[in-house]
Amino acid sequence: MTLQRFADTLLSARAVKAVLSAGTRVPPFAWDFLLVALLSMATLPVVAGEPVAVTVSAGLLLPLIWRRRAPWGVFCAVAAAALAQWLVGYQLPAAVTLLVALYTVVAHSTRHYLVVACLVMEGGILLACQRWAAEGRFLSSAVVLNALAAAAALLGANTRALKERAAYLEHEWDQQARLAVAEERGRITREMHDIVTHNLSVMVALADSAPYAQSADKASAVLLQISETGRQALTDMRRALGILRADEPDAERHPLPGMAQLEDLADQMRAAGMPTRLEVRGDHTTVPVTAQLTVYRLVQEALTNTLKHTPRGTQAQVRISCQAETITVDVMDDGPYRGHPDAPSGHGIRGMRERAAAYGGALQAGPLPNGGWHVCTRLDLSSGADVAV
């Protein structure tokens, strides 16, 4: 994943979150106030001129303004007003607010309040049917009212499920963003480690050899090699950070390294004072670009470790075997055993293992029986993902 693709991932996640939150730009209190206003316009004219009925209706309607802030408290207030309505004997259209209050408890309150609210609602339905149902219509009235209450509760449950789903998706997006950050950070760390360590090691080795040049021409060649290595490092770092355009001269002069550049890598090592033999078997032109980059970085890191941790004159040998579905990489040297080439917190061997694992390979690194160091792995091209490595 390049830095640009990583940025696009974060922007996409933020865009989706913005769409989800678009409906919350209007304060919920304003929506609830509008709901109460509409219900008042529909129900209060029916009881106009009856002060008691208007008062009870107001007790049923006004608490809904705070229904999202205190769902259970509002339900209790509306239920108390409905009980007052039953006691005074008024059958008011504003009693529909009980359904709104029940919906709100189910959608926005904790689950243990749901059972209590349903029991209170059922009691209210039975009391209402006992007083206001026509003779012989008690059962049918109870069924109708229970169906309305069940519909309100189901709508509330659906709203709760949608909210929980939205919260889960937002958490997943945040998690994916964090994973993308970690993945990109790991990729950049591996790339920068390989680029900086290799090129600085070569430059130091060349600089150390410059005072011993036997002629001005050889000294100039060493300095030119140091300059070219530095430019290569700068270009690779810009490419790793995703800020190198494909049409820039540096990009054309220093293409993305692959197996075709292994000979140049061996030449660098030879110039730095480490004789390096390269052997590539099979056709590498059909190998995917990302797999070629992995092979190049594995060889580069192995040779850099040899250059850093062995005396001058140590010989290295690189053998690459390309087959239809696999690539075998072997890097050996004849230098003295130097222990593990990386500190426990280093990125060398660990980065090589991560690169090999991306193609189903298990990297092995250790001393040879007769002296020297050996790094080998086999990459499975059928399991590699088409990502930057």
Side-chain angles (χ1 to χ4, degrees):
M1 177 184 288
T2 65
L3 197 62
Q4 183 61 46
R5 286 173 59 191
F6 164 67
D8 292 342
T9 300
L10 287 183
L11 289 175
S12 298
R14 290 171 182 170
V16 174
K17 283 197 240 180
V19 171
L20 282 179
S21 61
T24 62
R25 292 177 182 173
V26 178
F29 182 83
W31 290 113
D32 294 334
F33 186 86
L34 178 61
L35 173 64
V36 171
L38 292 175
L39 290 175
S40 299
M41 293 171 60
T43 59
L44 289 181
V46 178
V47 295
E50 301 184 38
V52 175
V54 171
T55 301
V56 175
S57 295
L60 290 167
L61 292 166
L62 292 179
L64 294 184
I65 297 177
W66 297 275
R67 68 186 186 92
R68 298 186 210 228
R69 297 184 180 181
W72 175 245
V74 168
F75 179 83
C76 292
V78 173
L83 178 61
Q85 168 197 352
W86 186 83
L87 291 174
V88 298
Y90 279 99
Q91 189 174 1
L92 302 174
V96 72
T97 56
L98 273 169
L99 297 176
V100 179
L102 178 63
Y103 160 86
T104 304
V105 170
V106 177
H108 301 289
S109 189
T110 55
R111 295 185 185 276
H112 68 274
Y113 285 124
L114 171 60
V115 176
V116 179
C118 289
L119 292 175
V120 172
M121 191 72 175
E122 185 62 28
I125 289 174
L126 294 177
L127 289 175
C129 291
Q130 183 270 332
R131 166 160 289 190
W132 291 302
E135 186 175 352
R137 302 292 299 274
F138 178 88
L139 183 59
S140 60
S141 298
V143 169
V144 171
L145 293 178
N146 275 287
L148 292 174
L154 287 175
L155 285 174
N158 185 61
T159 299
R160 173 187 287 274
L162 290 176
K163 286 176 55 182
E164 292 175 350
R165 177 64 176 170
Y168 172 77
L169 290 176
E170 184 171 354
H171 174 75
E172 284 295 302
W173 287 325
D174 290 340
Q175 183 71 12
Q176 290 298 321
R178 286 192 293 269
L179 290 175
V181 169
E183 179 184 351
E184 184 68 2
R185 183 179 296 157
R187 185 195 70 83
I188 292 176
T189 299
R190 290 194 305 269
E191 289 293 303
M192 297 303 289
H193 172 272
D194 290 350
I195 293 167
V196 174
T197 302
H198 166 73
N199 288 288
L200 284 182
S201 297
V202 172
M203 293 170 70
V204 169
L206 291 170
D208 288 343
S209 65
Y212 302 100
Q214 298 178 355
S215 66
D217 291 340
K218 289 185 178 180
S220 297
V222 170
L223 294 176
L224 288 174
Q225 184 68 33
I226 292 174
S227 175
E228 184 66 19
T229 303
R231 290 192 182 94
Q232 175 72 57
L234 290 173
T235 302
D236 288 347
M237 282 191 290
R238 294 181 65 203
R239 180 183 287 113
L241 296 174
I243 57 177
L244 180 66
R245 298 195 306 270
D247 58 348
E248 289 190 30
D250 283 345
E252 298 174 358
R253 185 177 181 183
H254 302 292
L256 187 70
M259 296 177 66
Q261 282 70 45
L262 286 176
E263 187 61 46
D264 295 336
L265 178 62
D267 289 339
Q268 269 192 337
M269 291 299 171
R270 297 184 192 109
M274 187 177 74
T276 303
R277 177 184 173 188
L278 174 65
E279 180 182 352
V280 179
R281 298 177 181 176
D283 182 14
H284 68 270
T285 58
T286 60
V287 177
V289 174
T290 53
Q292 291 199 36
L293 177 59
T294 297
V295 172
Y296 182 91
R297 293 301 188 204
L298 290 173
V299 174
Q300 181 188 56
E301 179 61 25
L303 293 177
T304 301
N305 283 334
T306 299
L307 182 65
K308 288 168 54 181
H309 299 287
T310 60
R312 187 177 180 84
T314 297
Q315 297 185 11
Q317 182 176 2
V318 179
R319 290 187 300 194
I320 310 293
S321 178
C322 301
Q323 299 179 3
E325 297 293 336
T326 62
I327 299 179
T328 303
V329 180
D330 283 286
V331 182
M332 296 173 285
D333 65 64
D334 60 0
Y337 175 62
R338 67 270 191 183
H340 199 289
D342 289 302
S345 60
H347 297 283
I349 295 295
R350 185 176 66 185
M352 294 168 72
R353 294 189 193 280
E354 291 174 354
R355 291 183 186 277
Y359 283 89
L363 184 131
Q364 298 178 355
L368 292 170
N370 297 323
W373 191 265
H374 183 210
V375 175
C376 66
T377 187
R378 176 174 293 182
L379 308 182
D380 183 2
L381 300 182
S382 63
S383 65
D386 187 19
V387 293
V389 292

